[in-house]
Amino acid sequence: LKLNQFMSHDKLGLWQLGVTHVLNAAHGKLCCKGSDDFYGTTVKYCGVPANDLPTFDISPFFYPAAEFIHQALTSGGKVFVHCAVGVSRSAALVLAYLMIHHNLSLLSSARCVLQKRWIFPNRGFLRQLIALDRELQDARQNELK
């Protein structure tokens, strides 16, 4: 299964997979023009207008995207998370979700995702995920005190 922009345009294929939610990490970019209108009432849509550049700040989207994924999964849904190629922007958001909602470290999150598919977040996204990892670890340490 190719988790990229082309699969995101296959409404029948997504329906056959039981997808109820789509998180587009490349919203509005080139071929990734998903929207609520495109998917209709059967699929909830969330678009993140991220550029796959090391200088792009994707961190403001970590918590909203993680919440979208969490709400979908806890309501019994299936989430399709994609970007243009499926290895950097979407991967960064899935890693953030695992870190925020499953209390995994960045390393554990990456190992978890790499068991299923190849990912390669750009160096800027990795720096931002490392910062998130530190924040979450600090917050957990403070909770224990």
Side-chain angles (χ1 to χ4, degrees), residues 11-127:
K11 287 191 274 192
L12 177 61
L14 293 173
W15 178 80
Q16 289 171 332
L17 290 170
V19 170
T20 58
H21 294 70
V22 171
L23 174 57
N24 176 359
H27 178 77
K29 309 298 177 199
L30 300 170
C31 303
C32 296
K33 295 205 185 303
S35 67
D36 285 320
D37 297 342
F38 178 76
Y39 293 105
T41 56
T42 56
V43 171
K44 285 197 171 107
Y45 177 84
C46 179
V48 172
N51 290 316
D52 189 14
L53 298 169
T55 53
F56 183 83
D57 188 2
I58 198 169
S59 64
F61 300 104
F62 286 162
Y63 280 91
E67 195 54 35
F68 180 79
I69 294 169
H70 182 69
Q71 291 293 327
L73 296 177
T74 55
S75 68
K78 254 192 193 176
V79 190
F80 177 68
V81 183
H82 77 91
C83 52
V85 180
V87 298
S88 185
R89 289 170 280 196
S90 57
L93 295 179
V94 169
L95 292 170
Y97 159 74
L98 291 170
M99 294 162 63
I100 293 165
H101 283 283
H102 290 273
N103 298 324
L104 294 177
S105 67
L106 175 55
L107 186 58
S108 297
S109 297
R111 284 186 179 138
C112 181
V113 174
L114 283 166
Q115 288 175 0
K116 300 289 183 190
R117 58 177 288 113
W118 185 77
I119 58 171
F120 194 72
N122 73 49
R123 68 185 180 277
F125 294 172
L126 283 174
R127 273 195 296 273

